Amino acid sequence: MEYLKEIPKINYEGSKSKNPLAYKYYNPEEVILGKKMKDHLKFSMAYWHTLVADGTDPFGDGTMERPWDEETTDPLERAKIRVRVAFEFMEKMGIEYFAFHDRDIAPEGETLEESNKNLDVVVDVIEKEMKRTGIKLLWGTANLFANKRFVNGASTSPNADIFAFAAAQVKKAMEITHRLGGAGYTFWGGREGYETLLNTDMKLEQDNFARFLHMAVDYAKEIGFKGQFYIEPKPKEPTKHQYDFDSATVLSFLRKYDLMGHFKLNIETNHATLAGHTMNHEVRLAVDNDSLGSVDANQGDLLLGWDTDQFPTNVYDTTLTMYEIIRGGGFTTGGLNFDSKVRRASFTVEDLAYAHIAGMDTYAIGLRVAAKLWEDKAIEDILDKRYASYKDGIGLDIVNKKVGFKELEEYILNKKELDSNDSGRQELIESIINQYIIG
Amino acid sequence: MEYLKEIPKINYEGSKSKNPLAYKYYNPEEVILGKKMKDHLKFSMAYWHTLVADGTDPFGDGTMERPWDEETTDPLERAKIRVRVAFEFMEKMGIEYFAFHDRDIAPEGETLEESNKNLDVVVDVIEKEMKRTGIKLLWGTANLFANKRFVNGASTSPNADIFAFAAAQVKKAMEITHRLGGAGYTFWGGREGYETLLNTDMKLEQDNFARFLHMAVDYAKEIGFKGQFYIEPKPKEPTKHQYDFDSATVLSFLRKYDLMGHFKLNIETNHATLAGHTMNHEVRLAVDNDSLGSVDANQGDLLLGWDTDQFPTNVYDTTLTMYEIIRGGGFTTGGLNFDSKVRRASFTVEDLAYAHIAGMDTYAIGLRVAAKLWEDKAIEDILDKRYASYKDGIGLDIVNKKVGFKELEEYILNKKELDSNDSGRQELIESIINQYIIG
Amino acid sequence: MEYLKEIPKINYEGSKSKNPLAYKYYNPEEVILGKKMKDHLKFSMAYWHTLVADGTDPFGDGTMERPWDEETTDPLERAKIRVRVAFEFMEKMGIEYFAFHDRDIAPEGETLEESNKNLDVVVDVIEKEMKRTGIKLLWGTANLFANKRFVNGASTSPNADIFAFAAAQVKKAMEITHRLGGAGYTFWGGREGYETLLNTDMKLEQDNFARFLHMAVDYAKEIGFKGQFYIEPKPKEPTKHQYDFDSATVLSFLRKYDLMGHFKLNIETNHATLAGHTMNHEVRLAVDNDSLGSVDANQGDLLLGWDTDQFPTNVYDTTLTMYEIIRGGGFTTGGLNFDSKVRRASFTVEDLAYAHIAGMDTYAIGLRVAAKLWEDKAIEDILDKRYASYKDGIGLDIVNKKVGFKELEEYILNKKELDSNDSGRQELIESIINQYIIG
Amino acid sequence: MEYLKEIPKINYEGSKSKNPLAYKYYNPEEVILGKKMKDHLKFSMAYWHTLVADGTDPFGDGTMERPWDEETTDPLERAKIRVRVAFEFMEKMGIEYFAFHDRDIAPEGETLEESNKNLDVVVDVIEKEMKRTGIKLLWGTANLFANKRFVNGASTSPNADIFAFAAAQVKKAMEITHRLGGAGYTFWGGREGYETLLNTDMKLEQDNFARFLHMAVDYAKEIGFKGQFYIEPKPKEPTKHQYDFDSATVLSFLRKYDLMGHFKLNIETNHATLAGHTMNHEVRLAVDNDSLGSVDANQGDLLLGWDTDQFPTNVYDTTLTMYEIIRGGGFTTGGLNFDSKVRRASFTVEDLAYAHIAGMDTYAIGLRVAAKLWEDKAIEDILDKRYASYKDGIGLDIVNKKVGFKELEEYILNKKELDSNDSGRQELIESIINQYIIG
């Protein structure tokens, strides 16, 4: 049965096409830098936004018109229908990965037991659809923030029962991720933080968070789950302060609690900017620390102070993000997961396709431009030249730790004139980037 | 004598050129929408940034290498040399307009009299250079913020003598602007605001500001200056709160004090974003209120909270700004003034050229894309369709004020089903913009 | 029947009391500056937050434990129970005013007719309770943002039917406000703005908004409603850009569309800071333009970028707000409406009382401090001295428009030395404020 | 010779005093929590702001009236006079510590040799004054950001000669700090960051920064300097991105490069908020990681996006900061250094005293309130109760790592009902804080 009659199979038609239901830049099989575009980009559909979100916002009700949700009032039946819609959508779009929270795919029951049973029912359907289509699971996760039991946090709750409940819930989420062959498992600590320090024992809470993650590592070993664990940084929202503030904060945490070998980062564009960073900064930092895992591909509005999770349409962002990813060697377990939601006013079924096309085409442009920059060494040559002084002489001695303050003072006192500084050439480099983008 | 040996005449070489000292997109004589590019864009050099700024920032000294400044230690002689450098630069760049503050072009003397004499000497040189080159004055202004006498404001100072001094200074600045055939005169109220409301009589200060502007209007009539007056909004910096916060605030002020007919807006990109607005919003608002005057063309960094005044290199910004300008009928007296400074690390003479090329090419791209959007009615057709319900029936009655609450209630009570809402199609429209930009 | 068994009558016990269910600073009958505290402050309960909100946020479900809501599953019956709870709460707290949206007090029906009938049923109960208790309606309003029909705005919707529906809805809301003797009627344009300028005819939308308000003015005359109309500024959220951005923007709009005589401002603390202003700035601006109407008393978190609507507990904010209100002559029709919601984690019934006590005590402290500052002329004397130069001589000539640029230039050229500037003394003044607060 | 005739010895006169030149709350010898106020607070004067800053800002010239600077035009002589002014000021204020950059205290020469000689001359004078007065050096540092040679960074410069120069400069700064018995040495990386990632090898730069710090550690050992090293986080300004973004970022860096044992944090209030954190968060994080070193005591303006470095006058900030410091056991080597500058309009000599009094009194209030909160266990009791579930049963098993996901799942499946969550009581706690502050 076809649910998405408004959406045909989306094909690549090239940059001249006026067909809104076609890719203009994303040509999945085209080879760039020796790899297919689809293998560079590894697009993933986010189950929560595409199948579950209905346009509700803090000031208003849902707006989305989803006819398939009206076929039944039974939550479990609806969940099964949504699986079919999801896979039909991914097939038509040519999206080969997806990601989910446990509570997106199956309704929560009265008890954990019932919730787990619901999951098993739906996971059966998902498994069949995955087999049928070849679509793969990028990562799974557990929703530890929506239910009111998590009001004060999950693994950082002051209530030990809630820690225990969260543990049990993650156990199951890991099991179904494992069963579905998930390449990764993500921790986003939506309520792992505080509303006010005045009622918070931050140290105990962070210690507990670390204990929780170690339990996850142990349990993965036990069940043979080899997928990559990710932590997803976000500075605030819903809580006033979230412990996984940004990449640097998470890296500090992983180092402190001896978790560096077990976790990589799942970096989101909008979370990066909410923390005061560019996305390419966050990716660079992850790469420099051997911690780039996966990317949540959206964009924010820098004039707004909350997570807007818009589909990415800014070519500068996608170019610079893809450049850092290429520079870092490309994705291994991770991919570009559209943690992006159609605008509340984009409420039709077609908009789901338009929005994903927008995001995929924009990332395709970004990949093309970034690959060209990389091939031409347009940026790398600038860097090589700029840092040349550390490749011999006193610079190399510094790098090799052959000199200390005394030797360096002597060097300076003996040197008539310092080697002159080079211009940073920022405006020229930005011009060059524009030339690569516009052609 | 040639001062800028590093900078040749900058020519248009097309988008394939690898020559950093050439335009790739700005082709001044090319006709777009029936007008030459240079007449759409009306680029203007900002005297203060290009000739005076030296890279000083709150944490460090100047970095700029300007050999011509070392030819003499006499401030007035240096000022004259700078005029020649300025015109050589504009000639080489093909920039046909400039803008200045009184204190940029000539050194301030011990007394107002002496300052005015210095101005006369330098204005003689400028006048000759203008005649020689055909370069025109976009607007003049007075610097009422740098001298310590303006510590508490100029026309809004609590000290009436300072108001008087500012008046005398603006009188002279208007006279020289008039003498040089300036197309406009700008008021940017750098210190017209407050540091803390606790010591501020905001009402008296704003009343005085209005009195000051009325005096300017009167004096313009007296001397026959027909140039356009502009107010330039900025929300903060240097003062904590500036009275000309944003376009809406300035329009409110102009309306309150009966100044709407006399002033238009000089809108700056970076000031727009500091106030929480997009640049295209500010331009649209000005156009909608028949108040678009001129544009300060720079860009900010949305992750930073101060005025970075970077050369504009973001094609989205320039496209959307040019689109609003085209939609508003184009510039009359105003233009695109590069209130943009080279980065502190872009300290060479060549960087001045690279930076202006970056800005001019980026605006040229913006113009090309915006013109195409306009010609194709890519956006206007969407709007026409979206608002069609106000062109007949109940919508037209609303617009024509033929109905009130009672009639509308009756209409609703009688209508079985409301006409359905249309999707906003934001993602699709953003895709289309990308297609126009990337081609 | 008593619903709020956890909450006794809240009495003033003075600043030494350790009773969490007592006022420590708010002593309603105490006379300050010749007026009872309760008449200065005119506290109002916001129906939506206190009776309807359940702790739902964009990342999670409701948390609030409200036993009375479980007494019935019939929405209309529940609405009637809530009225009784509301009045019991206000009586116990000693709150004499309230404010509501139409959709808070009664459930929306399938049709406007049904919704209006529901309103009539609930308004009957409210009217009785008002009579019984003497509690008064500060203002009413219509919710034109939650229902999905308002997805693209209400009076600024591109769909004329939605404009009509909004008109009909406001008509009814005005009628019930009138019936209940409301002292005011508020317009907060939650969806009156845009998500992207690319699909927006801002001029038509703003013209329509003005037409809508004129209809309201006309209809008020027709039914004899003499309450004050308010517009409540907010810069963003839920829409990306809201037309009523801040006080200056609203004043500009009112002036442009000839509405100044009919509307005053309802200013909210958290909206002020989201727009980049202090609350006292916004109140001052309103007072200076004879437009102070009412105040939405909450506080935001300046490190967060969304409307947190917290109960006000910052004494600086309440002191400076009350100071401006006293300076402006005090409230006439308006009051301090707690547009404040208990934190999602403050989910018990007691928290409702704690939170209102927190807010009322903090405003009571603010009133006490502000009144003392006013009586002692601690600030006013500073201002008098600071602006003395405009009271005679050249300053008075400026104020009286007796001089222009020429006379002022002559004055300056003849004056040997300018009168010196005074220090702003910001740190000293801030110390003095602290001394008044701490005692 | 007395330089500061306008400033008498500042004494404690109690909270009723109207004398602007007296402490109302700071009573240095008063014992609180078993320690003198002055030993809790350890106030320090910042040489750069108090002796060197002149009110210059990016839009205007200096405003400060400092008669002693006009006694000589010789920079070295002026530097010596400033030392005497500095100590006279500290004596009169009763400030027992100070902090400096090398370039504040002595003029930079043409060569490093000359600069070092200038330092020696001035340090002689400082040493004598320290001996005479008993005033101590809180910490020293080197200015590695103002000179144009540091345009691209110091230890993170792409130019190895600049790294060498910075090393030589720090060597000398450490030596004089050592000679003056400095209790600490601070690294603030003003230009250690980047303007654009496009021209930056972030990894090499950070590696070099770590190499630099290791050299400092080695050299300290060599010369026997036992003072504490500090790193001062700041997210941005002057550079677009600074590597020492916030406390978490610095801790991550220290852990990565094996520097944790050698460095603590010097945390600044205004830097905290620029990074999106409260100051008490940053102090808490430092304490939780055994890394609280010293505090730069100022305040920012949360509505402005740059470092305003205002004297601290907000009692909430000082209370919560002092609370965290007390909770952390108090200062050892560190103190409260007024990295605070008088407002540009507070240009008189008296303002220096008013501003320091404002800051010291506000911190004294904060200390008094925090100490009372601590003694009463007003907050600690709340925490004890809130986290009680981790003290036995399943909670204790979690803390002791006796359970994993399987045991916790079993626990949950067997438990009929989870222990209920407690309200966070934020509003009540904020009320209590107010009661402690207002009394």
Side-chain angles (χ1 to χ4, degrees), chain D residues 20 27 61 98 104 108 139 243 355 379:
Chain D
N27 188 11
D61 307 331
F98 70 108
D104 309 328
E108 180 150 22
W139 48 260
Y243 292 137
I379 290 173

Side-chain angles (χ1 to χ4, degrees), chain A residues 157 159-161 171 194 199-200 205 222 256 281 284 386-387 389-390 406 409 411 415 419, chain D residues 157 159-161 171 194 199-200 205 222 256 281 284 289 386-387 389-390 406 409 411 415 419:
Chain A
S157 173
N159 180 347
D161 271 14
K171 176 175 176 287
Y194 60 79
N199 68 12
T200 303
E205 293 199 2
E222 188 168 338
K256 176 174 182 180
H281 170 86
R284 174 83 67 94
R386 195 166 193 240
Y387 293 89
S389 69
Y390 289 98
K406 273 164 62 178
E409 182 186 58
Y411 169 83
K415 193 154 191 195
D419 286 358
Chain D
S157 173
N159 180 347
D161 271 12
K171 176 175 176 289
Y194 59 78
N199 68 12
T200 303
E205 293 200 1
E222 190 170 336
K256 177 173 181 180
H281 170 85
R284 175 82 67 96
N289 286 278
R386 194 165 194 241
Y387 292 89
S389 69
Y390 288 98
K406 274 164 62 177
E409 182 187 57
Y411 169 84
K415 194 154 189 193
D419 287 357

